[in-house]
């Protein structure tokens, strides 16, 4: 077979494979059937992912979004991208081959030794180290650099593709944007630039004037379900949560670390409120009004997003003033919340470290470690006390059935990261138990759902979703949270789905394969161009072989089996 025919046949196989795998990779949410869950009634246990997928597809096919029944609030929730950098490259800050440099110094007499024997001995030592240390380190460093470079684009692929396909109204990265809190400022700038310029290209930090401090009076900007410029701005913005790798745990969190995080990624603690405009005047007329409608418990539907920096909730903290600020913030969130007896508000808490739960519920078990001189060094979960601050404080749940609102609290959900494996749980308290027995309990969400725990009276509770990491090792996961308002019950409901891309190897394989196909196509093009230019390239190997004098002499006659061979 001539080279041209060989390449052409190879391409017949390679091109369809490349096109198919590339299509799959670039349209993976479509092939995986990913979509934001559709609003549905609460008593349906299973969400209809088929209908949700068709609805998303319809939004892409028809220009107008009016035919869609999608939820008005759709949050693309991404966990722990953890951009690594210099700290994971062994030779980042050194010469590439330090021992080889020593060998050269010894041999060129730029080191001092008492004798030639010692000099040679040292030279051989360093030579051995060159082979067994320098070379493996360099190979590992190069591998790691390529790995990091690809990883930036792997994360970008998840963000860009899901944003395009699933059409979220909001995006959040649930902490650990970067891989280490101990990095120096220049490396922090490099990783931040990679975050915004590569992995989350097109994204913007939430402006400080939008990230509000909790207050009673609100100019409710950013109405949901309205395709105005505000909605477009929210589609670009990324609600970044501060994680331990971004600012450090309580024992590492300093004013400087928090300041540099907030400058680049947005404030670490704030709230956002969105109002859902009601189109139905009859429903609107039932809303509480101090004079016109004093007996109503219905409030204008409002969605409250609270971004909590829970890094320094537990003690001891390195910087007491920062911890006081965090506590002050949470107290103000509680003080500005609607009274628990009222309906129509929904609180979405975004934070990084998950709430306390006993060992065996999620992959991470409770774990704390402390710095030598005090200060939290590491923790897997919040302490049980800090967790109660969320459940009983922000959400107003209560084990006492005689508490306001029967202790059922406010509706909402907690989203976080940190446990890379992800976890979906339900916290509840059994009000029929007495005294010390009345404790917060946790169960996995599917179990809670199948025993209909969330709808049981006498057991108020709250769902907490730890979103599985978007890192390659954890399958490039993403969470899709839909929140919608049900006018009949005057309550907000939500549903959550996940959409994994698959490990980074597939992303790499497809791109390397595409590159090979492009190289083969270019080679074919060059060969054809040469042929067209009159160069006899298609027969080069054989005419070259027949031009070898020795072969000619040995064989004496042309190879007749291959009739079309010509003499050179
Ligand atoms: C993105 O890259 C540009 C150009 O290299 C740089 O000026 C800018 O600061 C980068 N953005 C961030 C957020 O680092
Ligand atoms: C709803 O009621 C409020 C007063 O309670 C009124 O200001 C508003 O215009 C009403 N909206 C609609 C859509 O009817
Ligand atoms: C609450 O406790 C009571 C008494 O022990 C028990 O019968 C009931 O099943 C419990 N409820 C839940 C939801 O666990």
């Amino acid at each position: 077979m001539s080279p041209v025919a060989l390449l052409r046949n190879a391409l017949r196989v390679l091109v369809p494979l490349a096109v198919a795998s590339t299509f799959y990779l670039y349209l993976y949410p479509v092939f995986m059937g990913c979509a934001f869950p559709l609003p549905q009634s609460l008593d349906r246990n299973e969400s209809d992912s088929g209908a949700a997928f068709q609805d998303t597809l319809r939004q892409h096919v028809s220009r107008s979004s009016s035919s869609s029944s999608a939820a008005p609030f759709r949050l693309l929730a991404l966990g722990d991208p953890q951009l690594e950098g210099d700290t994971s490259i062994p030779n980042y800050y050194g010469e590439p081959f330090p021992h080889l440099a020593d060998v050269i110094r010894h041999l060129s007499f730029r080191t001092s030794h008492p004798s030639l024997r010692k000099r040679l001995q040292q030279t051989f030592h360093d030579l051995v180290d060159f082979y067994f240390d320098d070379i493996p380190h360099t190979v590992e460093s190069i591998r790691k650099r390529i790995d990091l470079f690809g990883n930036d684009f792997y994360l970008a692929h998840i963000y860009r593709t899901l944003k395009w396909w699933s059409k979220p109204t909001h995006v959040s990265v649930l902490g650990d944007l970067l891989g280490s809190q101990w990095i120096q400022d220049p490396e922090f700038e490099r990783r931040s630039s990679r975050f915004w310029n590569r992995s989350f290209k097109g994204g913007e930090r939430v402006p400080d004037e939008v990230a509000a401090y909790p207050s009673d009076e609100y100019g409710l900007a950013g109405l949901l379900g309205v395709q105005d410029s505000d909605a477009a701005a929210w589609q670009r913005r990324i609600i970044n949560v501060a994680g331990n790798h971004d600012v450090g745990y309580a024992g590492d969190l300093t004013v400087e670390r928090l300041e540099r995080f907030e400058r680049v990624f947005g404030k670490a603690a704030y709230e956002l409120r969105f109002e859902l405009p009601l189109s139905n005047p009859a429903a609107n007329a039932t809303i509480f009004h101090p004079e016109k409608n004093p007996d109503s418990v219905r409030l204008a539907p409002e969605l409250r997003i609270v971004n909590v920096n829970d890094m320094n909730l537990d003690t001891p903290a390195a910087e007491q003033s920062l911890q006081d600020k965090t506590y002050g913030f949470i107290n103000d969130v509680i003080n500005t919340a609607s009274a628990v007896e009222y309906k129509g508000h929904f609180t979405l808490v975004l934070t990084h470290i998950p709430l306390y739960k006993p060992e065996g519920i999620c992959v991470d078990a409770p774990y704390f470690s402390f710095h030598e001189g005090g200060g939290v060094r590491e923790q897997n979960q919040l302490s049980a006390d800090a967790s109660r601050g969320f459940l009983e404080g922000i959400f107003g749940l209560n084990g006492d059935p005689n508490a306001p609102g029967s202790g059922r609290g406010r509706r909402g959900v907690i989203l976080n990261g940190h446990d890379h494996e992800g976890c979906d749980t339900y916290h509840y308290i059994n009000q029929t138990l007495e005294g010390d027995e009345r404790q917060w309990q946790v169960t996995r969400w599917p179990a809670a759902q199948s025993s209909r725990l969330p709808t049981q009276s006498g057991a108020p509770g709250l769902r907490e979703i730890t979103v599985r990491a978007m890192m390659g090792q954890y399958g490039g996961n993403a969470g899709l949270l839909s929140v919608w308002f049900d006018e009949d019950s005057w309550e907000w409901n939500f549903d959550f789905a996940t959409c994994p891309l698959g490990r980074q190897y597939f992303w790499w394989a497809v791109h390397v394969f595409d590159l090979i196909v492009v190289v083969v196509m270019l080679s074919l093009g060059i060969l054809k161009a040469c042929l067209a230019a009159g160069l006899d390239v298609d027969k080069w190997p054989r005419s070259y072989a027949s031009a070898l004098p020795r072969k000619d002499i040995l064989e004496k006659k042309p190879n007749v089996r291959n009739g079309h061979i010509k003499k050179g």
Side-chain angles (χ1 to χ4, degrees), residues 278-279 281 284 289 292:
L278 286 173
S279 49
N284 189 44
H289 190 279
K292 288 185 235 158

Side-chain angles (χ1 to χ4, degrees), residues 192-193 196-197:
S192 306
S193 168
W196 288 117
N197 281 331

